[in-house]
Amino acid sequence: MERAMHKSTLLMAGAVLALSACASQPAPEPIAGLPVPGAPAVGEVDAPDLVVVISVDSLSSQLLEEYLPLMNGGLARLSREGTLFLNAYQAHSMTETCPGHATLLTGSHPARSGIIANRWIDIDRPADERVIYCAEDPDAPGDDMVISASPLKVPTLGAYMKAAHPGSRNVSIAGKDRAAVMMGGRQVDQRWWWGNEGWISDLDRPTPPVVAAATVATQTLIDAGSTGLEMTEYCAAKPEVIAEGQWRVGDGRLGWAAGDSGAFRRTPGYDGAVLALGAALIDDMQLGRSSDAPDLISLGLSATDYVSHAFGPDGGEACLQMFSLDRNLEGFLDLLDARELDYAVVLTADHGAPHLPERLALQGIQTGRMAPDLNSSAIAEVERQLPELPENWVAGEAPYDMYVARDLDAGLRAQAIAALKATYAAHPQIEAVFTREEIEATPMPAGNPANWTLLQRKRAGHDPERSGDLAFVLTEYRTPIERPGPTFISHHSSPWDYDRRVPIAFYRPGQAPVNRPDVARTVDILPTLAAHLGLSLGGTEIDGVCLDGVHGKRCGN
Ligand SMILES: [Zn+2]
């Protein structure tokens, strides 16, 4: 069964590739986006013709450390035969998909990119329009959400590449819209994510036949259903637990009922579908075929995150997912090799993930999920202390930012913020509460993020325009879910290292493997790739620094 499913995802890649051979390339269109300062190529560099950036959603370093010695596929190849940083950090808080992906190719912390969380609140809007999704155009007319890169305040690698080489193409594909949007940025030639009934895009352009074919192939796979993978001996040894006394997890096999696209997302087949479309577009657009203008393709593999949320990152299900990911990536790398492309790969993650509290308990760490009444009781207490507070005086809930209405009397507003801080801080599940003033008085941290204080981690994730009046940190290992559901029993987002520490692997065929023990940050990826591509960033301010010595290259030379 395991082998059969692996084969089916790769077969799908083959089917899509076959169709792509006769598909035409979409007509180029003028691209409107952020202005990027002129950035000519500098110096002589042995730049690759194709840069492949792979984000494995929720792949913590801890997860990779466990499975890497047991793997022999594509994930192992990228990690073992590349330059591997296991002590790399998504340095900021909140450690979520949108801000995490926004650091990867911008060199910028959320404080600079503006992508502070998956959602934030605009307290000045009417109560039913306050929640802003990180990848939507908040000013789009109508009730339907319009996916857009407009909230991203900084350019991505693709824009710098285009500024230096007008012929460079920038392609972004992911299992989640926000991953595709944040990696592709504003100046993107093709952007696709799975929208439950097909591969969809925010770009107003014709759908290439190769993408239409991928929709048919993916839908066919979903409609077929699967009983899942065969449980291996290693994965079967993971303890089964009953989360919240209701949901038994640990021995799931990652199957899906015919037509159940939600369950399909929680399987390796979902990553396979993204990789298959990526491979198809590489062929269809002839990416990486020009040594004058390098191309970029970003691939967001979301299944690990969906598996982690539904079953925890530490059960038999995540175990099956890791080995399947390893094989799916092997198939993808084989396709690149077969085309004899001069390519480089960077593999990393948008955030890590905490263990399930039920499994931590087996290890002697007694913790749990957020108290269901943590927020409601704290707000009720503040309203008891300050009965003059009007309706809708506060929005948002811990551990996300809280926003206090700005039209309150200044004295009452200050009292409300102080009362919120004191009330939350007294709760045994709360580690720290910071006010906007405390965060904004903190200089932007630099250097080794392992040594940053909680306040500094919040500072790197704070945008004065979008962040709240209060920021919260739950105690370590406390799962930030007030009301768990059957596919949502585990969640990241904290400033603790299990959510921050992620791998970064730089791989280029023929380069010597190096295991780097030193610390890196995901914001360092952009300047490092820019150096490898011979790109100038045109004096744009970023937070990352070029990582010296990757693939034997010295930064600044
Ligand atoms: Zn997630």
Side-chain angles (χ1 to χ4, degrees):
M1 193 67 73
E2 186 174 37
R3 189 157 290 277
M5 177 164 172
H6 172 51
K7 205 171 154 195
S8 74
T9 53
L10 291 183
L11 273 178
M12 188 173 69
V16 174
L17 288 167
L19 283 164
S20 75
C22 54
S24 62
Q25 204 168 317
E29 289 185 21
I31 296 162
L34 283 178
V36 175
V42 290
E44 281 292 306
V45 286
D46 173 26
D49 299 335
L50 177 65
V51 176
V52 182
V53 177
I54 300 173
S55 166
V56 179
D57 199 315
S58 227
L59 179 67
S60 65
S61 289
Q62 196 180 2
L63 204 55
L64 187 58
E65 280 164 336
E66 175 181 352
Y67 290 99
L68 190 51
L70 307 170
M71 290 176 168
N72 54 20
L75 184 51
R77 179 167 147 198
L78 295 173
S79 305
R80 242 181 250 143
E81 298 178 27
T83 298
L84 176 64
F85 292 87
L86 280 169
N87 290 314
Y89 287 82
Q90 288 279 2
H92 58 271
S93 172
M94 309 292 290
T95 44
E96 288 195 299
T97 302
C98 218
H101 279 92
T103 68
L104 300 183
L105 296 179
T106 65
S108 300
H109 295 309
R112 190 186 300 279
S113 73
I115 308 301
I116 56 167
N118 284 352
R119 287 168 189 81
W120 56 85
I121 288 173
D122 184 344
I123 191 74
D124 297 331
R125 288 177 178 244
D128 59 344
E129 296 172 18
R130 282 177 176 170
V131 178
I132 309 290
Y133 178 55
C134 63
E136 74 163 319
D137 177 356
D139 301 316
D143 291 338
D144 292 340
M145 182 182 288
V146 175
I147 297 298
S148 163
S150 65
L152 182 62
K153 295 180 173 180
V154 292
T156 59
L157 175 62
Y160 292 109
M161 289 170 69
K162 284 173 175 294
H165 308 284
S168 286
R169 273 84 53 83
N170 178 20
V171 175
S172 180
I173 306 162
K176 295 180 182 176
D177 55 17
R178 53 189 176 274
V181 166
M182 294 304 149
M183 289 197 287
R186 293 188 174 201
Q187 297 188 34
V188 65
D189 297 86
Q190 293 284 335
R191 170 158 48 222
W192 299 96
W193 63 90
W194 183 252
N196 277 345
E197 291 175 349
W199 292 100
I200 58 175
S201 180
D202 57 315
L203 307 176
D204 188 18
R205 294 176 203 169
T207 301
V210 69
V211 177
T215 286
V216 172
T218 306
Q219 192 61 54
T220 301
L221 189 61
I222 293 170
D223 289 344
S226 167
T227 54
L229 302 163
E230 203 171 292
M231 188 58 82
T232 65
E233 197 180 333
Y234 183 82
C235 295
K238 298 286 179 185
E240 291 159 30
V241 294
I242 299 177
E244 293 284 310
Q246 293 184 62
W247 298 291
R248 184 183 187 86
V249 293
D251 62 348
R253 296 185 174 196
L254 307 183
W256 68 94
D260 186 345
S261 63
F264 176 70
R265 288 173 189 264
R266 298 186 288 275
T267 77
Y270 197 39
D271 290 341
V274 170
L275 291 168
L277 179 53
L281 279 170
I282 287 171
D283 278 356
D284 188 54
M285 298 175 73
Q286 293 285 294
L287 298 180
R289 265 43 169 226
S290 160
S291 50
D292 300 329
D295 295 317
L296 168 66
I297 184 165
S298 304
L299 301 165
L301 306 183
S302 310
T304 303
D305 185 66
Y306 287 123
V307 168
S308 182
H309 283 297
F311 310 108
D314 40 13
E317 300 90 347
C319 183
L320 291 177
Q321 163 61 14
M322 291 305 292
F323 288 111
S324 301
L325 173 67
D326 187 42
R327 286 191 301 272
N328 269 330
L329 287 170
E330 182 182 11
F332 181 74
L333 294 177
D334 286 347
L335 287 166
L336 295 182
D337 291 335
R339 279 146 188 77
E340 299 186 342
L341 296 173
D342 179 5
Y343 68 93
V345 180
V346 181
L347 181 139
T348 186
D350 55 343
H351 53 71
H355 286 274
L356 281 190
E358 290 80 5
R359 289 204 178 89
L360 285 170
L362 299 177
Q363 299 166 18
I365 298 172
Q366 301 304 328
T367 178
R369 295 180 178 78
M370 269 179 78
D373 67 343
L374 192 155
N375 281 292
S376 57
S377 64
I379 291 170
E381 170 58 21
V382 173
E383 289 176 343
R384 191 191 63 75
Q385 292 174 22
L386 299 169
E388 61 272 45
L389 284 168
E391 293 257 305
N392 289 326
W393 65 277
V394 68
E397 288 192 335
Y400 295 90
D401 285 6
M402 291 183 83
Y403 301 71
V404 177
R406 290 206 272 208
D407 54 4
L408 289 186
D409 165 79
L412 179 61
R413 191 166 186 278
Q415 280 182 294
I417 289 172
L420 281 171
K421 174 167 167 130
T423 305
Y424 274 92
H427 196 285
Q429 295 184 0
I430 296 285
E431 179 72 23
V433 185
F434 302 114
T435 64
R436 167 187 291 275
E437 285 68 30
E438 289 169 316
I439 295 170
E440 291 176 8
T442 303
M444 189 62 68
N448 184 348
N451 299 331
W452 292 4
T453 63
L454 292 174
L455 181 56
Q456 287 176 312
R457 297 170 195 196
K458 286 289 182 188
R459 180 66 191 93
H462 180 93
D463 177 355
E465 203 177 270
R466 295 175 180 173
S467 294
D469 298 302
L470 292 140
F472 303 87
V473 181
L474 293 177
T475 50
E476 196 171 16
Y477 300 119
R478 176 72 47 184
T479 297
I481 301 180
E482 280 180 292
R483 293 169 198 86
T487 60
F488 191 59
I489 59 171
S490 176
H491 191 47
H492 44 84
S493 74
S494 84
W496 298 109
D497 280 355
Y498 46 76
D499 284 343
R500 296 169 82 219
R501 191 166 156 266
V502 296
I504 304 176
F506 293 90
Y507 172 77
R508 192 165 177 196
Q511 293 292 329
V514 184
N515 197 340
R516 291 275 294 256
D518 50 326
V519 167
R521 304 167 304 171
T522 54
V523 293
D524 300 332
I525 294 172
L526 170 80
T528 305
L529 288 178
H532 291 187
L533 289 163
L535 294 177
S536 159
L537 300 183
T540 309
E541 269 191 53
I542 58 171
D543 299 300
V545 296
C546 174
L547 294 165
D548 214 15
V550 173
H551 298 165
K553 288 196 170 53
R554 304 307 306 267
C555 295
N557 289 337

